[in-house]
Amino acid sequence: RKEVEQDPGPFNVPEGATVAFNCTYSNSASQSFFWYRQDCRKEPKLLMSVYSSGNEDGRFTAQLNRASQYISLLIRDSKLSDSATYLCVVKPLLQAGTALIFGKGTTLSVSS
Amino acid sequence: DAGVIQSPRHEVTEMGQEVTLRCKPISGHNSLFWYRQTMMRGLELLIYFNNNVPIDDSGMPEDRFSAKMPNASFSTLKIQPSEPRDSAVYFCASSFMQVGEKLFFGSGTQLSVL
């Protein structure tokens, strides 16, 4: 089983739609969770961290379910500019300063 | 701030040749990471350094790959000899661990081994 698994998509939605991405992770001791965004032919960039209580940043909502080892990202009122690949990222609970593990990403295409 | 700087942006080489990728992290960051990205495998961690010391190199595919960080402002990833299956985008990223997990990535090096 891969450490971080995502549905690769693509998700094709019209502007204004609400879309949700899911991600599962295998290491139950993982301590930190993130969503990164990667535009075509560009480097990944941090979109938002994911907290146990759930957190929201404008149109974006991230949630964590530790019991099910499941992370989600909800995008409301999709914009054309949201088209990108969304990477689910997990930090394993190992020694201090461990590296992030990336999922393969879910591709979103928003059309007008 | 200039961000993480990688060079070259593109590298095309023939099988068997040596390839050296370069990275300058953001000034003040104490951790540096090398990742490789392909369509099939996504982003894979190759190696990372903390305070210029290699911490985990278990992701390095084989002995043909080596990485160094001689000082806080420079790192190299070398492939010798290169093979077609090494073709990928190689990203360098840096962070300051004590203040969280945000990684800052460079623009990547697109490597093609013919």
Side-chain angles (χ1 to χ4, degrees):
Chain A
R1 179 182 176 185
K2 295 189 187 304
E3 291 195 63
V4 180
E5 294 201 62
Q6 298 181 247
D7 180 345
F11 285 63
N12 298 304
V13 303
E15 278 186 288
T18 295
V19 61
F21 305 139
N22 303 319
C23 166
T24 57
Y25 59 94
S26 60
N27 186 341
S28 60
S30 295
Q31 63 175 7
S32 305
F33 309 90
F34 312 88
W35 284 99
Y36 275 67
R37 170 187 168 136
Q38 185 173 23
D39 293 303
C40 186
R41 301 183 188 282
K42 298 285 190 181
E43 71 274 21
K45 293 183 179 179
L46 178 65
L47 177 66
M48 60 195 302
S49 300
V50 186
Y51 303 118
S52 297
S53 56
N55 50 297
E56 189 173 302
D57 182 1
R59 297 181 294 107
F60 297 82
T61 300
Q63 293 200 311
L64 168 65
N65 184 322
R66 285 188 183 273
S68 301
Q69 296 178 211
Y70 172 98
I71 306 160
S72 66
L73 177 68
L74 181 77
I75 305 176
R76 292 181 299 278
D77 188 22
S78 299
K79 312 291 185 189
L80 293 175
S81 57
D82 294 334
S83 298
T85 296
Y86 292 83
L87 304 168
C88 177
V89 185
V90 171
K91 176 174 174 170
L93 181 60
L94 299 172
Q95 74 246 31
T98 52
L100 302 183
I101 306 299
F102 285 75
K104 292 177 67 174
T106 298
T107 299
L108 171 66
S109 178
V110 182
S111 57
S112 58
Chain B
D1 195 342
V4 177
I5 300 173
Q6 288 187 247
S7 64
R9 289 295 304 275
H10 304 276
E11 177 80 29
V12 180
T13 190
E14 293 186 344
M15 183 173 64
Q17 296 298 305
E18 177 179 296
V19 175
T20 299
L21 311 181
R22 298 173 176 78
C23 176
K24 176 180 169 54
I26 292 173
S27 177
H29 282 188
N30 61 355
S31 295
L32 183 140
F33 306 79
W34 282 101
Y35 284 86
R36 175 173 71 176
Q37 187 173 39
T38 61
M39 288 291 292
M40 288 295 294
R41 302 174 70 89
L43 259 173
E44 301 175 283
L45 177 69
L46 299 177
I47 184 171
Y48 79 96
F49 297 82
N50 198 34
N51 294 320
N52 310 340
V53 177
I55 302 300
D56 183 358
D57 66 353
S58 59
M60 297 285 262
E62 48 198 90
D63 292 346
R64 297 185 297 106
F65 285 68
S66 62
K68 294 182 179 180
M69 191 165 186
N71 57 63
S73 60
F74 184 65
S75 176
T76 59
L77 178 68
K78 186 175 292 186
I79 309 172
Q80 166 65 18
S82 58
E83 297 182 3
R85 60 192 168 119
D86 301 331
S87 298
V89 180
Y90 290 79
F91 286 106
C92 175
S94 71
S95 72
F96 186 63
M97 278 301 181
Q98 274 64 45
V99 295
E101 311 297 350
K102 183 175 181 179
L103 287 186
F104 294 81
F105 282 81
S107 300
T109 295
Q110 173 75 61
L111 173 64
S112 298
V113 183
L114 307 177

